[in-house]
Amino acid sequence: MKLKKLIFYLTLPFVSLTILKISFRFISFSITLSQSIRNQKHQNSTIKIVTLGESTTADFFSDNKNCAWLRELERLLQEGGHSVQIINEGHAGSSTPYLLERIDSLLDKHKPDIVISMVGSMIRQH
């Protein structure tokens, strides 16, 4: 009986972490899908801005009242009379190496006039 309890307590953290990781990946996928839909709504704008970054860029906690910085930037630019399209390519949990891997394909895909990158909070010591 003690062996079963020991095995249970040793495997519990791994199972919990695996479930947590799967949950975060699902949430990240949902946010990315939402971003794609938002990006498509702004196809007729003049100045194309692509934003890259982590959860702070990914509109992770965004709603109409509490927007991420890029939606605030878009609002301010439009209020100032600028015609802009902000394409959000932020991904929660991404790192600088991950963004560097994707940047060429994102530039080819969107052909932006401006790229804004907000990274650094996910950098870890290796």
Side-chain angles (χ1 to χ4, degrees):
M1 187 69 168
K2 289 184 179 182
L3 181 60
K4 286 183 180 181
K5 282 186 177 181
L6 178 65
I7 291 172
F8 174 76
Y9 288 120
L10 288 175
T11 58
L12 183 62
F14 296 108
V15 171
S16 299
L17 289 174
T18 301
I19 291 170
L20 189 62
K21 183 177 180 177
I22 291 169
S23 299
F24 282 141
R25 289 192 183 252
F26 177 75
I27 290 168
S28 180
F29 171 76
S30 299
I31 291 169
T32 302
L33 181 61
S34 172
Q35 287 172 197
S36 295
I37 292 168
R38 285 183 187 176
N39 290 342
Q40 291 173 359
K41 289 180 182 178
H42 300 284
Q43 298 255 330
N44 297 326
S45 299
T46 305
I47 300 170
K48 193 181 291 189
I49 301 172
V50 170
T51 59
L52 304 172
E54 303 141 350
S55 58
T56 54
T57 303
D59 267 349
F60 193 73
F61 298 107
S62 180
D63 59 24
N64 288 334
K65 295 178 185 172
N66 300 306
C67 293
W69 65 268
L70 60 120
R71 297 297 164 212
E72 183 68 11
L73 173 65
E74 182 176 47
R75 183 186 66 76
L76 291 170
L77 289 170
Q78 289 176 348
E79 283 179 1
H82 302 282
S83 179
V84 297
Q85 172 189 9
I86 295 186
I87 299 170
N88 185 359
E89 287 291 348
H91 292 275
S94 62
S95 63
T96 302
Y98 173 73
L99 293 174
L100 290 173
E101 287 176 13
R102 299 177 54 234
I103 195 162
D104 288 335
S105 64
L106 293 174
L107 293 174
D108 289 341
K109 177 181 176 182
H110 297 296
K111 303 197 183 331
D113 300 302
I114 299 170
V115 176
I116 301 174
S117 178
M118 184 172 170
V119 295
S121 64
M122 291 298 295
I123 293 176
R124 298 181 193 130
Q125 296 290 335
H126 291 285

Coordinates of all heavy atoms in Angstrom, one line a residue, residues 20-101:
L20 N -1.8 21.0 -17.2 CA -1.6 22.4 -17.3 C -1.0 22.9 -18.6 O -1.5 23.8 -19.2 CB -0.7 22.9 -16.1 CG -0.6 24.4 -15.8 CD1 -2.0 25.0 -15.5 CD2 0.4 24.6 -14.7
K21 N 0.0 22.2 -19.1 CA 0.6 22.5 -20.3 C -0.4 22.4 -21.5 O -0.4 23.3 -22.4 CB 1.8 21.6 -20.6 CG 2.6 21.9 -21.8 CD 3.8 21.1 -22.0 CE 4.6 21.4 -23.3 NZ 5.8 20.7 -23.4
I22 N -1.1 21.3 -21.5 CA -2.1 21.2 -22.6 C -3.2 22.3 -22.5 O -3.6 22.8 -23.5 CB -2.8 19.8 -22.4 CG1 -1.8 18.7 -22.8 CG2 -4.1 19.7 -23.3 CD1 -2.3 17.3 -22.4
S23 N -3.6 22.7 -21.3 CA -4.5 23.8 -21.1 C -4.0 25.1 -21.7 O -4.7 25.8 -22.4 CB -4.9 23.9 -19.7 OG -5.5 22.8 -19.1
F24 N -2.7 25.4 -21.4 CA -2.1 26.6 -21.9 C -2.0 26.6 -23.4 O -2.2 27.6 -24.0 CB -0.7 26.8 -21.3 CG -0.8 27.4 -19.8 CD1 0.1 26.9 -18.9 CD2 -1.7 28.3 -19.5 CE1 0.1 27.4 -17.6 CE2 -1.8 28.8 -18.2 CZ -0.9 28.4 -17.3
R25 N -1.7 25.5 -24.0 CA -1.6 25.4 -25.4 C -3.0 25.6 -26.1 O -3.1 26.3 -27.1 CB -1.0 24.0 -25.9 CG 0.5 24.0 -25.5 CD 1.1 22.8 -26.2 NE 2.5 22.7 -25.8 CZ 3.5 23.0 -26.6 NH1 3.3 23.4 -27.8 NH2 4.8 23.0 -26.2
F26 N -4.0 25.1 -25.5 CA -5.3 25.3 -26.0 C -5.7 26.7 -25.9 O -6.3 27.3 -26.8 CB -6.4 24.4 -25.2 CG -7.8 24.6 -25.7 CD1 -8.2 24.1 -26.9 CD2 -8.7 25.3 -24.9 CE1 -9.5 24.3 -27.3 CE2 -10.0 25.6 -25.3 CZ -10.4 25.0 -26.5
I27 N -5.4 27.4 -24.7 CA -5.7 28.8 -24.6 C -5.0 29.6 -25.6 O -5.5 30.5 -26.2 CB -5.4 29.2 -23.1 CG1 -6.4 28.6 -22.2 CG2 -5.4 30.7 -23.0 CD1 -6.0 28.7 -20.7
S28 N -3.7 29.3 -25.8 CA -2.9 30.0 -26.8 C -3.4 29.9 -28.2 O -3.5 30.8 -28.9 CB -1.4 29.5 -26.7 OG -0.7 30.2 -27.6
F29 N -3.9 28.7 -28.5 CA -4.5 28.4 -29.8 C -5.8 29.3 -30.0 O -6.0 29.9 -31.0 CB -4.8 27.0 -30.0 CG -5.6 26.7 -31.3 CD1 -5.1 26.7 -32.5 CD2 -7.0 26.5 -31.2 CE1 -5.8 26.5 -33.7 CE2 -7.8 26.3 -32.3 CZ -7.2 26.3 -33.6
S30 N -6.6 29.3 -28.9 CA -7.8 30.1 -29.0 C -7.5 31.6 -29.2 O -8.2 32.3 -29.9 CB -8.6 29.9 -27.7 OG -9.0 28.6 -27.5
I31 N -6.5 32.1 -28.5 CA -6.2 33.5 -28.6 C -5.6 33.8 -30.0 O -6.0 34.8 -30.6 CB -5.1 33.9 -27.5 CG1 -5.8 33.8 -26.1 CG2 -4.5 35.2 -27.8 CD1 -4.8 33.9 -25.0
T32 N -4.8 32.9 -30.5 CA -4.3 33.1 -31.9 C -5.4 33.1 -32.9 O -5.4 34.0 -33.8 CB -3.3 32.0 -32.2 OG1 -2.2 32.0 -31.2 CG2 -2.7 32.2 -33.6
L33 N -6.3 32.3 -32.7 CA -7.5 32.3 -33.7 C -8.3 33.6 -33.6 O -8.6 34.2 -34.6 CB -8.4 31.1 -33.4 CG -9.6 30.9 -34.3 CD1 -9.2 30.7 -35.7 CD2 -10.5 29.8 -33.8
S34 N -8.5 34.0 -32.4 CA -9.2 35.3 -32.1 C -8.4 36.5 -32.8 O -9.0 37.4 -33.4 CB -9.3 35.6 -30.7 OG -9.8 36.8 -30.4
Q35 N -7.1 36.4 -32.6 CA -6.2 37.5 -33.3 C -6.3 37.5 -34.8 O -6.4 38.5 -35.4 CB -4.8 37.3 -32.9 CG -4.5 37.6 -31.5 CD -3.1 37.3 -31.1 OE1 -2.8 37.2 -29.9 NE2 -2.2 37.0 -32.0
S36 N -6.4 36.3 -35.4 CA -6.5 36.2 -36.8 C -7.8 36.8 -37.3 O -7.8 37.5 -38.3 CB -6.4 34.7 -37.2 OG -5.1 34.2 -37.0
I37 N -8.8 36.6 -36.6 CA -10.1 37.1 -36.9 C -10.1 38.7 -36.8 O -10.6 39.4 -37.7 CB -11.3 36.6 -36.0 CG1 -11.4 35.1 -36.4 CG2 -12.6 37.3 -36.2 CD1 -12.3 34.3 -35.4
R38 N -9.5 39.2 -35.7 CA -9.4 40.6 -35.6 C -8.5 41.2 -36.7 O -8.8 42.3 -37.2 CB -8.7 41.0 -34.2 CG -9.7 40.8 -33.1 CD -9.0 41.3 -31.8 NE -9.8 41.0 -30.7 CZ -9.4 41.2 -29.4 NH1 -8.2 41.7 -29.2 NH2 -10.2 40.9 -28.5
N39 N -7.4 40.5 -37.0 CA -6.5 41.0 -38.1 C -7.2 41.2 -39.4 O -7.0 42.1 -40.2 CB -5.3 40.1 -38.2 CG -4.4 40.2 -37.0 OD1 -4.4 41.2 -36.3 ND2 -3.5 39.2 -36.9
Q40 N -8.1 40.2 -39.7 CA -8.8 40.2 -41.0 C -9.8 41.3 -41.1 O -10.2 41.8 -42.2 CB -9.5 38.9 -41.2 CG -8.5 37.8 -41.5 CD -9.2 36.4 -41.6 OE1 -10.4 36.3 -41.4 NE2 -8.4 35.4 -41.8
K41 N -10.3 41.9 -40.0 CA -11.3 42.9 -40.0 C -10.7 44.3 -40.5 O -11.4 45.2 -40.8 CB -11.9 43.1 -38.6 CG -12.8 42.0 -38.1 CD -13.3 42.3 -36.7 CE -14.2 41.2 -36.2 NZ -14.6 41.5 -34.9
H42 N -9.4 44.4 -40.5 CA -8.7 45.6 -40.8 C -8.0 45.6 -42.1 O -7.0 46.3 -42.2 CB -7.8 46.0 -39.6 CG -8.5 46.2 -38.3 ND1 -9.2 47.3 -38.0 CD2 -8.5 45.3 -37.3 CE1 -9.7 47.1 -36.8 NE2 -9.3 46.0 -36.3
Q43 N -8.5 44.9 -43.1 CA -7.7 44.7 -44.3 C -7.7 45.9 -45.2 O -6.8 46.0 -46.1 CB -8.4 43.6 -45.1 CG -8.3 42.2 -44.4 CD -7.3 41.3 -44.9 OE1 -7.1 41.4 -46.1 NE2 -6.8 40.4 -44.1
N44 N -8.5 46.9 -45.1 CA -8.6 48.1 -46.0 C -7.8 49.3 -45.5 O -7.9 50.4 -46.1 CB -10.0 48.5 -46.2 CG -10.8 47.4 -46.9 OD1 -10.2 46.6 -47.7 ND2 -12.1 47.2 -46.6
S45 N -7.0 49.2 -44.5 CA -6.3 50.3 -43.9 C -5.0 50.6 -44.7 O -4.6 49.8 -45.5 CB -5.9 50.0 -42.5 OG -7.0 49.8 -41.7
T46 N -4.5 51.8 -44.5 CA -3.4 52.2 -45.4 C -2.0 51.8 -44.8 O -1.3 51.1 -45.5 CB -3.4 53.8 -45.4 OG1 -4.7 54.2 -45.9 CG2 -2.3 54.3 -46.3
I47 N -1.7 52.2 -43.6 CA -0.4 51.8 -43.0 C -0.5 50.5 -42.3 O -1.3 50.4 -41.4 CB 0.1 52.9 -42.1 CG1 0.3 54.3 -42.8 CG2 1.5 52.5 -41.4 CD1 0.5 55.4 -41.9
K48 N 0.3 49.6 -42.7 CA 0.2 48.2 -42.1 C 1.3 48.1 -41.1 O 2.5 48.2 -41.4 CB 0.4 47.2 -43.2 CG 0.0 45.8 -42.8 CD 0.2 44.7 -43.9 CE -0.8 44.9 -45.0 NZ -0.7 43.8 -45.9
I49 N 0.9 47.8 -39.8 CA 1.8 47.7 -38.7 C 1.7 46.2 -38.2 O 0.6 45.8 -37.9 CB 1.5 48.6 -37.6 CG1 1.6 50.1 -38.1 CG2 2.5 48.4 -36.4 CD1 1.2 51.1 -37.1
V50 N 2.8 45.5 -38.1 CA 2.8 44.2 -37.5 C 3.4 44.3 -36.1 O 4.4 44.8 -36.0 CB 3.5 43.1 -38.4 CG1 3.7 41.8 -37.7 CG2 2.8 42.9 -39.7
T51 N 2.7 43.7 -35.2 CA 3.2 43.7 -33.8 C 3.6 42.2 -33.4 O 2.9 41.3 -33.7 CB 2.2 44.2 -32.8 OG1 1.0 43.4 -32.8 CG2 1.8 45.6 -33.1
L52 N 4.8 42.1 -32.9 CA 5.3 40.9 -32.4 C 5.6 40.9 -30.9 O 5.9 42.0 -30.4 CB 6.7 40.6 -33.1 CG 6.7 40.6 -34.6 CD1 8.1 40.5 -35.1 CD2 5.9 39.4 -35.1
G53 N 5.4 39.8 -30.2 CA 5.7 39.8 -28.8 C 5.1 38.6 -28.1 O 4.7 37.6 -28.7
E54 N 5.0 38.8 -26.8 CA 4.5 37.7 -25.9 C 3.1 38.0 -25.5 O 2.3 38.6 -26.3 CB 5.4 37.7 -24.7 CG 6.9 37.4 -25.1 CD 7.9 38.3 -24.2 OE1 7.4 39.1 -23.5 OE2 9.1 38.0 -24.4
S55 N 2.7 37.6 -24.3 CA 1.3 37.7 -23.9 C 0.9 39.2 -23.8 O -0.3 39.5 -24.0 CB 1.1 37.0 -22.5 OG 1.9 37.5 -21.6
T56 N 1.8 40.1 -23.5 CA 1.5 41.5 -23.4 C 1.1 42.0 -24.8 O 0.3 43.0 -24.9 CB 2.7 42.3 -22.9 OG1 3.8 42.1 -23.7 CG2 2.9 42.0 -21.5
T57 N 1.5 41.4 -25.9 CA 1.1 41.8 -27.2 C -0.1 41.0 -27.7 O -0.8 41.5 -28.6 CB 2.3 41.6 -28.2 OG1 3.4 42.4 -27.6 CG2 2.0 42.1 -29.6
A58 N -0.2 39.8 -27.2 CA -1.2 38.9 -27.7 C -2.7 39.2 -27.4 O -3.5 38.4 -27.7 CB -0.9 37.5 -27.2
D59 N -3.0 40.3 -26.9 CA -4.4 40.6 -26.5 C -4.9 39.6 -25.5 O -6.1 39.2 -25.6 CB -5.3 40.8 -27.7 CG -5.4 42.2 -28.2 OD1 -5.0 43.1 -27.5 OD2 -6.0 42.4 -29.3
F60 N -4.0 39.1 -24.7 CA -4.4 37.9 -23.8 C -5.6 38.2 -22.9 O -6.5 37.4 -22.8 CB -3.2 37.6 -22.9 CG -3.3 36.3 -22.2 CD1 -3.1 35.1 -22.9 CD2 -3.5 36.2 -20.9 CE1 -3.2 33.9 -22.3 CE2 -3.6 35.0 -20.2 CZ -3.5 33.8 -21.0
F61 N -5.7 39.4 -22.3 CA -6.8 39.7 -21.5 C -7.7 40.8 -22.0 O -8.4 41.5 -21.3 CB -6.3 40.2 -20.1 CG -5.5 39.1 -19.4 CD1 -4.1 39.2 -19.3 CD2 -6.1 38.0 -18.8 CE1 -3.4 38.3 -18.6 CE2 -5.4 37.1 -18.2 CZ -4.0 37.2 -18.1
S62 N -7.7 40.9 -23.3 CA -8.4 42.0 -24.0 C -9.9 41.8 -24.0 O -10.4 40.7 -24.3 CB -7.9 42.1 -25.4 OG -8.5 43.2 -26.1
D63 N -10.6 42.9 -23.8 CA -12.0 43.0 -24.1 C -12.2 44.4 -24.6 O -11.2 45.1 -24.8 CB -12.9 42.7 -22.9 CG -12.6 43.5 -21.7 OD1 -12.1 44.7 -21.9 OD2 -12.9 43.1 -20.6
N64 N -13.4 44.9 -24.8 CA -13.6 46.2 -25.3 C -13.2 47.3 -24.3 O -12.9 48.5 -24.7 CB -15.0 46.4 -25.8 CG -15.3 45.7 -27.0 OD1 -14.4 45.4 -27.8 ND2 -16.5 45.3 -27.3
K65 N -13.1 47.0 -23.0 CA -12.8 48.1 -22.1 C -11.3 48.0 -21.7 O -10.7 49.1 -21.3 CB -13.7 47.9 -20.8 CG -15.1 48.1 -21.1 CD -15.9 47.8 -19.8 CE -17.4 47.9 -20.1 NZ -18.3 47.5 -19.1
N66 N -10.7 46.9 -21.7 CA -9.3 46.7 -21.2 C -8.5 46.1 -22.4 O -8.3 44.9 -22.4 CB -9.2 45.8 -20.0 CG -10.0 46.4 -18.8 OD1 -9.8 47.5 -18.5 ND2 -10.9 45.6 -18.3
C67 N -8.1 47.0 -23.3 CA -7.4 46.5 -24.5 C -5.9 46.4 -24.2 O -5.3 47.1 -23.4 CB -7.6 47.4 -25.6 SG -9.4 47.4 -26.2
A68 N -5.2 45.6 -25.0 CA -3.8 45.5 -25.0 C -3.2 46.8 -25.6 O -3.9 47.5 -26.3 CB -3.3 44.3 -25.8
W69 N -1.9 47.0 -25.4 CA -1.3 48.2 -25.9 C -1.5 48.5 -27.4 O -1.6 49.6 -27.8 CB 0.2 48.2 -25.5 CG 1.0 47.2 -26.1 CD1 1.3 45.9 -25.7 CD2 1.7 47.3 -27.4 NE1 2.1 45.3 -26.6 CE2 2.3 46.1 -27.6 CE3 1.8 48.3 -28.4 CZ2 3.1 45.8 -28.8 CZ3 2.5 48.1 -29.5 CH2 3.2 46.9 -29.7
L70 N -1.5 47.4 -28.2 CA -1.5 47.6 -29.6 C -2.9 48.1 -30.1 O -3.0 48.9 -31.0 CB -1.2 46.4 -30.4 CG -2.0 45.1 -30.1 CD1 -2.7 44.7 -31.4 CD2 -1.2 44.1 -29.5
R71 N -4.0 47.7 -29.4 CA -5.3 48.2 -29.7 C -5.4 49.7 -29.3 O -6.1 50.5 -29.9 CB -6.4 47.4 -29.1 CG -6.4 46.0 -29.6 CD -6.7 45.9 -31.1 NE -6.4 44.6 -31.6 CZ -5.9 44.3 -32.8 NH1 -5.8 45.3 -33.6 NH2 -5.6 43.1 -33.2
E72 N -4.8 50.0 -28.2 CA -4.7 51.4 -27.7 C -3.9 52.3 -28.7 O -4.3 53.4 -29.1 CB -4.1 51.5 -26.3 CG -4.1 52.9 -25.8 CD -5.4 53.5 -25.4 OE1 -6.4 52.7 -25.4 OE2 -5.5 54.7 -25.1
L73 N -2.8 51.7 -29.2 CA -2.0 52.4 -30.3 C -2.9 52.7 -31.5 O -2.9 53.8 -32.1 CB -0.8 51.6 -30.6 CG 0.1 52.1 -31.8 CD1 0.7 53.5 -31.4 CD2 1.2 51.1 -32.1
E74 N -3.6 51.6 -31.9 CA -4.4 51.7 -33.1 C -5.5 52.8 -32.9 O -5.7 53.7 -33.8 CB -5.1 50.4 -33.4 CG -5.9 50.4 -34.6 CD -6.5 49.0 -34.9 OE1 -7.0 48.3 -33.9 OE2 -6.4 48.5 -36.0
R75 N -6.1 52.8 -31.8 CA -7.1 53.8 -31.5 C -6.6 55.2 -31.5 O -7.1 56.1 -32.1 CB -7.8 53.6 -30.1 CG -8.9 54.5 -29.7 CD -9.4 54.3 -28.3 NE -8.4 54.7 -27.3 CZ -8.1 55.9 -27.0 NH1 -8.7 56.9 -27.5 NH2 -7.2 56.2 -26.0
L76 N -5.4 55.4 -30.9 CA -4.8 56.8 -30.8 C -4.4 57.2 -32.2 O -4.6 58.4 -32.6 CB -3.6 56.8 -29.9 CG -3.9 56.6 -28.4 CD1 -2.6 56.4 -27.6 CD2 -4.6 57.8 -27.9
L77 N -3.8 56.3 -33.0 CA -3.4 56.7 -34.4 C -4.6 57.1 -35.2 O -4.6 58.0 -36.0 CB -2.6 55.6 -35.0 CG -1.2 55.4 -34.5 CD1 -0.6 54.1 -35.1 CD2 -0.3 56.5 -34.8
Q78 N -5.7 56.3 -35.1 CA -6.9 56.6 -35.9 C -7.6 57.9 -35.4 O -8.1 58.6 -36.3 CB -7.9 55.4 -35.8 CG -7.4 54.2 -36.6 CD -8.3 53.0 -36.4 OE1 -9.1 52.9 -35.6 NE2 -8.0 52.0 -37.3
E79 N -7.6 58.1 -34.1 CA -8.1 59.4 -33.6 C -7.3 60.6 -34.1 O -7.8 61.7 -34.3 CB -8.1 59.4 -32.1 CG -9.3 58.6 -31.5 CD -9.3 58.6 -30.0 OE1 -8.4 59.3 -29.4 OE2 -10.2 58.0 -29.4
G80 N -6.0 60.3 -34.4 CA -5.1 61.4 -34.9 C -5.2 61.5 -36.4 O -4.4 62.3 -37.0
G81 N -6.1 60.8 -37.0 CA -6.3 61.0 -38.5 C -5.5 60.0 -39.3 O -5.5 60.2 -40.5
H82 N -4.8 59.1 -38.7 CA -4.0 58.1 -39.5 C -4.8 56.9 -39.9 O -5.6 56.4 -39.0 CB -2.8 57.7 -38.7 CG -1.9 58.9 -38.3 ND1 -1.1 59.5 -39.2 CD2 -1.8 59.5 -37.2 CE1 -0.5 60.5 -38.6 NE2 -0.9 60.5 -37.3
S83 N -4.7 56.4 -41.1 CA -5.4 55.2 -41.5 C -4.4 54.1 -41.3 O -3.3 54.0 -42.0 CB -5.8 55.3 -43.0 OG -6.4 54.1 -43.4
V84 N -4.6 53.2 -40.3 CA -3.7 52.1 -40.0 C -4.4 50.8 -39.9 O -5.6 50.7 -39.7 CB -3.0 52.4 -38.6 CG1 -2.1 53.6 -38.7 CG2 -4.0 52.5 -37.5
Q85 N -3.6 49.8 -40.1 CA -4.0 48.4 -39.9 C -3.0 47.8 -39.0 O -1.8 47.7 -39.4 CB -4.1 47.6 -41.2 CG -4.4 46.1 -41.0 CD -4.2 45.3 -42.3 OE1 -3.8 45.8 -43.3 NE2 -4.6 44.1 -42.2
I86 N -3.4 47.3 -37.8 CA -2.4 46.7 -36.9 C -2.7 45.2 -37.0 O -3.8 44.7 -36.7 CB -2.5 47.2 -35.5 CG1 -2.1 48.7 -35.5 CG2 -1.6 46.4 -34.5 CD1 -2.0 49.3 -34.1
I87 N -1.7 44.4 -37.3 CA -1.8 43.0 -37.4 C -1.1 42.4 -36.2 O 0.1 42.6 -36.1 CB -1.2 42.5 -38.7 CG1 -2.0 43.0 -39.9 CG2 -1.2 40.9 -38.8 CD1 -1.3 42.8 -41.3
N88 N -1.8 41.7 -35.4 CA -1.3 41.2 -34.1 C -0.7 39.8 -34.3 O -1.4 38.9 -34.6 CB -2.3 41.2 -33.1 CG -1.8 40.8 -31.7 OD1 -0.7 40.5 -31.5 ND2 -2.7 40.8 -30.7
E89 N 0.6 39.7 -34.2 CA 1.3 38.4 -34.3 C 1.9 38.0 -33.0 O 2.9 37.3 -32.9 CB 2.3 38.4 -35.4 CG 1.7 38.3 -36.8 CD 1.0 37.0 -37.1 OE1 1.1 36.0 -36.4 OE2 0.3 37.0 -38.2
G90 N 1.4 38.6 -31.9 CA 1.9 38.2 -30.6 C 1.4 36.9 -30.1 O 0.2 36.5 -30.4
H91 N 2.2 36.1 -29.4 CA 1.8 34.8 -29.0 C 2.2 34.6 -27.5 O 3.4 34.8 -27.2 CB 2.5 33.7 -29.8 CG 2.0 33.6 -31.2 ND1 0.9 32.9 -31.5 CD2 2.4 34.2 -32.3 CE1 0.7 33.0 -32.8 NE2 1.6 33.8 -33.3
A92 N 1.3 34.3 -26.7 CA 1.5 34.1 -25.2 C 2.6 33.0 -25.1 O 2.5 32.0 -25.7 CB 0.3 33.8 -24.5
G93 N 3.6 33.3 -24.2 CA 4.6 32.3 -23.9 C 5.7 32.2 -24.9 O 6.6 31.4 -24.8
S94 N 5.7 33.1 -25.9 CA 6.8 33.0 -26.9 C 8.1 33.7 -26.4 O 8.1 34.4 -25.4 CB 6.4 33.7 -28.2 OG 6.1 35.0 -28.0
S95 N 9.2 33.4 -27.0 CA 10.5 33.9 -26.6 C 11.1 34.6 -27.8 O 10.7 34.5 -28.9 CB 11.4 32.7 -26.1 OG 11.6 31.8 -27.2
T96 N 12.2 35.3 -27.5 CA 12.9 36.0 -28.6 C 13.4 35.0 -29.7 O 13.2 35.3 -30.9 CB 14.1 36.8 -28.0 OG1 13.6 37.7 -27.1 CG2 14.9 37.5 -29.1
P97 N 14.0 33.8 -29.4 CA 14.4 32.9 -30.4 C 13.2 32.4 -31.3 O 13.3 32.3 -32.5 CB 15.0 31.7 -29.7 CG 15.5 32.3 -28.4 CD 14.5 33.4 -28.0
Y98 N 12.1 32.2 -30.6 CA 10.9 31.8 -31.3 C 10.4 32.9 -32.3 O 10.1 32.6 -33.5 CB 9.7 31.5 -30.3 CG 8.4 31.2 -31.0 CD1 8.2 30.0 -31.7 CD2 7.4 32.1 -30.9 CE1 7.0 29.7 -32.2 CE2 6.1 31.8 -31.5 CZ 5.9 30.7 -32.2 OH 4.7 30.4 -32.8
L99 N 10.4 34.1 -31.9 CA 10.1 35.2 -32.8 C 11.0 35.4 -33.9 O 10.6 35.7 -35.0 CB 10.0 36.5 -32.0 CG 8.9 36.6 -30.9 CD1 9.0 37.9 -30.1 CD2 7.5 36.5 -31.5
L100 N 12.3 35.2 -33.6 CA 13.3 35.3 -34.7 C 13.1 34.2 -35.8 O 13.4 34.4 -36.9 CB 14.7 35.2 -34.1 CG 15.2 36.4 -33.3 CD1 16.5 36.2 -32.6 CD2 15.2 37.7 -34.2
E101 N 12.7 33.0 -35.3 CA 12.4 31.9 -36.3 C 11.2 32.3 -37.2 O 11.2 31.9 -38.4 CB 12.0 30.7 -35.5 CG 13.1 30.0 -34.8 CD 12.7 28.8 -34.0 OE1 11.5 28.3 -34.2 OE2 13.4 28.3 -33.2

